[in-house]
Amino acid sequence: MDLKELYQEIILEHGKNPKNLGKFENFNKDAKGNNPLCGDKVHIYLKTDENKKISDIKFEGEGCAITMASTSIMTELMKEKSETEVKELIDDFLNMIKENSELKSKNINEDDKIKLMSLSGVKKYPMRVKCATLPWHTLISAMSNKPGEVNTEKEE
Amino acid sequence: MNINNIKKQFPIFNNKVHNNDLVYLDSANSSQKPQMVVDRIYDFYTKEFSNVGRSVHYLAVAATNLYENTRIMMQKYINAKDPNEIVFTKGATEAINLVANTFGQKFLREGDEILLTELEHHSNYVPWHYLRKLKGVKINFAEINNDGEITIESIEKSITPKTKMIAITHLSNVTGAILPIKEITSLAHSKNIPILIDGCQGAPHLKLDMQDIDCDFYAISCHKMYGPTGLGVLYAKKKWLDTLPPYQGGGGMIREVKKEGISFGDLPNKYEAGTMATAQVIAFGESIKFLNQIGIENIEKHESELTKYGEEVLRKNNSVKLVGNPKNKGSVLSFTLDGIHAHDIATILDEDGVAIRAGHHCCQILHDKLGLSATARASLGVYNTKDDLDKLNESINKCKKIFDR
Ligand SMILES: Cc1ncc(COP(=O)(O)O)c(C=O)c1O
């Protein structure tokens, strides 16, 4: 039963056909994330406009269905969001995955909430939580344009 | 050999995993432990515990004898000339670090080369990598062929006049390729190059005879040989242990310690500084007994039949691609599934109690070469059965069902 919760249709769909896969020319921020235990890798590219709004976001990467789906869903959600909104969403998502709480953000609609909640199945699979959180940590790093790579084994 | 009886000797199989019988296919990572090994650890701590080699009381003398007895059992098991050629370490990783560090210190200079292969585990690359920075040595990698094998020709091609050490695996923990280590050793020696064999995957499955192989160093991981964790063995020819400098410093490995200077103890103490993994060493004696009771020839035969069966079953399954196709293959079945990442496979299999490993298996160089970021790996031990491989195949089919929804 838990497996069905983990591999919900939304996840399989995004995992197989991830949105925003690729790279674009005029990005102004980017960051790489790596989960060395699994070999999952993501490279996130951002374009932020003068108001610090994300005007475009894409990613390159390879990994398990969870990593790919999480990155795909995240990139869809972040388009046209302001810096503060992005930060709030990241916090909200990471809290939901790690601390078992609901999503609190008022900046997302019901559809998006359902998509994000579909990733909460990883809670029952502690070894897989990192797969879901990798792109989110990588996005934090891209936003702050920190040099170096996000490494799931160096966190916390 | 009655296989069902062997499984019965491993208490882990009395447990359920997610309400299923355990199908343990991760022995290349670490093997399960027979009851006699588990009991030996318990008995030693409850009835016989003492530190070894330091006190004259009854328990210390008895423990020292037990500890040294495992050394002699190991010497016989691998047919080393002298018990002092057996050094206990914390694992194969430490055994290789010991050689890289001490050999590097004494014999390597800038521009010297070390020859590894593309099949090596990180444990047989990273310790040598330190010498790049420390000594300016160069590391070369003998290339695999399309079947994921290392041939003698590939080694021969990569040897240069500057090669000062060859360090290669006995059996690949990914493709399962068994390397022609006897021939490679003889080639190395014909050019006056010493050779280290990473025997982690060889020792639990193949008959070992150090006189026949004639290698200079052979590194063993006891936890993959039905023994306790925290223990490895370095076999090294005595001439090396006599000439190389000590590795770690501390108690037990010294002869005399003065403010002005220190002299070091004799073998085997020279390389066993500090309190060693006493209980593990003593319990490892039981692992050797266990292997001898079944007979390594019987284990080889059983595992080789199972490997062939596993290959057959997986080849028939159209969505499975086996990684590597070596002619001489150990009991490792690495594979990929179209459209399903290794980690998703491992999670789904786990739900059925089927324990495999997913990832690069500490072999990034090899995975880069194969163009794969991760593979799934089923690896066998003495307790596995054809039934285990059928269950593996069933669970693989379940992965497809879940992903093809
Ligand atoms: C080929 C190979 N070399 C080295 C090692 C490391 O051995 P240990 O765990 O004893 O340090 C392993 C085990 O993971 C291995 O498979």
Side-chain angles (χ1 to χ4, degrees):
Chain A
M1 202 52 229
D2 291 348
L3 268 183
K4 289 228 172 82
E5 259 172 62
L6 180 65
Y7 294 109
Q8 295 182 28
E9 245 156 274
I10 301 188
I11 293 193
L12 293 178
E13 192 41 47
H14 277 269
K16 273 183 226 165
N17 303 304
K19 305 284 190 308
N20 303 311
L21 192 61
K23 189 180 173 180
F24 55 97
E25 277 308 306
N26 52 345
F27 64 89
N28 57 358
K29 291 179 175 177
D30 75 310
K32 281 185 190 172
N34 179 14
N35 181 345
L37 291 185
C38 315
D40 294 333
K41 282 183 189 139
V42 293
H43 191 166
I44 293 175
Y45 303 92
L46 293 179
K47 173 136 191 74
T48 47
D49 61 20
E50 57 283 2
N51 306 319
K52 293 192 172 171
K53 215 181 212 182
I54 294 184
S55 55
D56 203 358
I57 177 168
K58 276 186 183 289
F59 78 102
E60 292 176 317
E62 53 186 336
C64 63
I66 309 296
T67 298
M68 295 307 270
S70 184
T71 319
S72 170
I73 291 170
M74 179 189 83
T75 52
E76 265 196 325
L77 202 75
M78 292 302 175
K79 248 180 224 177
E80 299 302 326
K81 296 278 192 300
S82 71
E83 191 178 8
T84 13
E85 285 170 328
V86 170
K87 287 212 171 110
E88 191 201 85
L89 276 173
I90 294 175
D91 279 351
D92 203 16
F93 177 81
L94 293 178
N95 273 330
M96 189 263 302
I97 290 289
K98 288 179 183 163
E99 271 145 41
N100 230 2
S101 53
E102 296 279 299
L103 285 167
K104 296 195 179 77
S105 178
K106 295 190 178 70
N107 285 319
I108 43 173
N109 60 35
E110 276 312 303
D111 267 8
D112 289 341
K113 257 191 191 160
I114 289 168
K115 276 189 206 162
L116 285 179
M117 290 303 290
S118 74
L119 287 158
S120 65
V122 296
K123 277 179 197 160
K124 292 204 178 106
Y125 299 84
M127 296 295 285
R128 306 300 301 275
V129 166
K130 284 174 189 163
C131 306
T133 57
L134 175 68
W136 299 76
H137 287 293
T138 309
L139 180 60
I140 296 176
S141 170
M143 290 297 286
S144 58
N145 237 344
K146 252 196 258 161
E149 190 176 79
V150 173
N151 187 316
T152 54
E153 295 317 294
K154 284 187 202 146
E155 264 173 51
E156 280 139 334
Chain B
M1 176 167 61
N2 187 335
I3 293 303
N4 292 324
N5 283 339
I6 290 180
K7 217 167 211 173
K8 277 193 198 126
Q9 292 187 44
F10 288 79
I12 195 96
F13 294 109
N14 298 332
N15 303 298
K16 298 275 176 192
V17 172
H18 305 305
N19 292 322
N20 286 300
D21 287 338
L22 169 63
V23 177
Y24 189 74
L25 294 170
D26 199 17
S27 296
N29 184 350
S30 197
S31 64
Q32 294 298 343
K33 318 304 169 200
Q35 188 72 51
M36 57 202 275
V37 172
V38 180
D39 286 349
R40 194 69 194 87
I41 289 183
Y42 180 83
D43 287 346
F44 177 66
Y45 277 127
T46 45
K47 296 176 199 144
E48 302 157 290
F49 178 76
S50 164
N51 206 343
V52 301
R54 298 190 179 182
S55 309
V56 294
H57 58 75
Y58 170 79
L59 287 174
V61 173
T64 306
N65 287 339
L66 288 167
Y67 181 93
E68 289 305 323
N69 191 44
T70 302
R71 198 189 306 278
I72 293 167
M73 289 171 81
M74 194 58 188
Q75 175 217 343
K76 294 195 174 129
Y77 189 74
I78 65 172
N79 194 23
K81 269 202 190 122
D82 187 324
N84 286 341
E85 293 181 322
I86 305 295
V87 178
F88 291 115
T89 61
K90 84 170 170 67
T93 300
E94 191 181 52
I96 298 170
N97 273 278
L98 188 161
V99 178
N101 179 297
T102 58
F103 183 86
Q105 258 185 69
K106 179 131 185 176
F107 292 109
L108 297 181
R109 293 201 185 87
E110 190 168 346
D112 285 345
E113 295 177 7
I114 294 162
L115 177 59
L116 312 177
T117 80
E118 289 177 336
L119 291 176
E120 297 319 307
H121 188 280
H122 296 166
S123 298
N124 195 25
Y125 173 26
V126 185
W128 303 107
H129 164 79
Y130 289 146
L131 297 172
R132 276 177 170 155
K133 289 218 174 107
L134 230 54
K135 291 274 181 166
V137 307
K138 190 175 163 219
I139 297 177
N140 297 318
F141 294 89
E143 289 189 25
I144 55 166
N145 64 14
N146 289 338
D147 290 330
E149 301 172 306
I150 291 284
T151 59
I152 183 112
E153 291 77 26
S154 158
I155 298 281
E156 191 154 23
K157 240 182 13 202
S158 315
I159 295 177
T160 78
K162 293 200 165 155
T163 307
K164 290 287 152 60
M165 170 63 89
I166 297 177
I168 58 170
T169 189
H170 190 170
L171 194 165
S172 161
N173 62 321
V174 179
T175 68
I178 298 174
L179 275 62
I181 54 167
K182 190 178 165 182
E183 291 71 22
I184 297 174
T185 299
S186 135
L187 171 69
H189 287 169
S190 75
K191 297 178 189 282
N192 258 327
I193 306 167
I195 181 164
L196 174 142
I197 312 287
D198 174 355
C200 279
Q201 302 296 337
H205 308 286
L206 305 171
K207 187 175 166 59
L208 292 183
D209 181 339
M210 291 303 126
Q211 302 316 306
D212 182 50
I213 299 168
D214 198 34
C215 57
D216 298 276
F217 305 97
Y218 193 97
I220 289 173
S221 175
C222 299
H223 68 88
K224 298 182 205 276
M225 272 179 94
Y226 311 105
T229 52
L231 188 65
V233 166
L234 172 67
Y235 159 80
K237 281 186 180 166
K238 194 157 173 299
K239 64 167 185 189
W240 289 113
L241 294 178
D242 284 334
T243 27
L244 292 173
Y247 178 48
Q248 293 179 342
M253 51 79 75
I254 40 79
R255 177 170 297 133
E256 234 187 353
V257 177
K258 302 275 186 205
K259 282 189 178 161
E260 307 74 47
I262 291 164
S263 61
F264 300 112
D266 293 326
L267 294 175
N269 301 339
K270 180 179 171 189
Y271 289 100
E272 294 181 0
T275 295
M276 299 293 288
T278 317
Q280 290 93 318
V281 169
I282 291 167
F284 184 58
E286 297 297 307
S287 311
I288 301 172
K289 261 189 222 160
F290 170 79
L291 289 163
N292 280 332
Q293 277 169 12
I294 305 170
I296 190 72
E297 287 87 357
N298 292 326
I299 295 176
E300 275 190 60
K301 184 162 168 283
H302 169 66
E303 291 176 347
S304 148
E305 278 169 17
L306 274 188
T307 307
K308 288 210 181 78
Y309 181 76
E311 279 187 296
E312 243 168 66
V313 169
L314 295 183
R315 284 227 166 82
K316 273 189 214 147
N317 191 329
N318 287 331
S319 37
V320 176
K321 276 202 199 86
L322 285 168
V323 176
N325 185 27
K327 282 170 277 305
N328 199 3
K329 184 177 165 80
S331 51
V332 180
L333 298 161
S334 295
F335 61 94
T336 56
L337 274 184
D338 274 341
I340 311 180
H341 190 274
H343 273 100
D344 297 314
I345 303 173
T347 296
I348 296 170
L349 265 51
D350 178 60
E351 205 81 356
D352 292 340
V354 179
I356 62 155
R357 184 160 171 195
H360 51 57
H361 321 299
C362 300
C363 293
Q364 272 192 1
I365 303 277
L366 177 63
H367 279 77
D368 283 351
K369 171 84 174 215
L370 297 169
L372 298 167
S373 64
T375 53
R377 179 185 75 186
S379 56
L380 308 175
V382 61
Y383 29 65
N384 288 119
T385 60
K386 287 187 176 171
D387 191 42
D388 292 340
L389 293 161
D390 290 335
K391 284 190 181 144
L392 167 71
N393 195 43
E394 275 169 39
S395 286
I396 289 175
N397 288 334
K398 188 168 135 190
C399 292
K400 288 192 285 179
K401 253 190 218 135
I402 289 178
F403 269 72
D404 289 346
R405 261 188 295 165

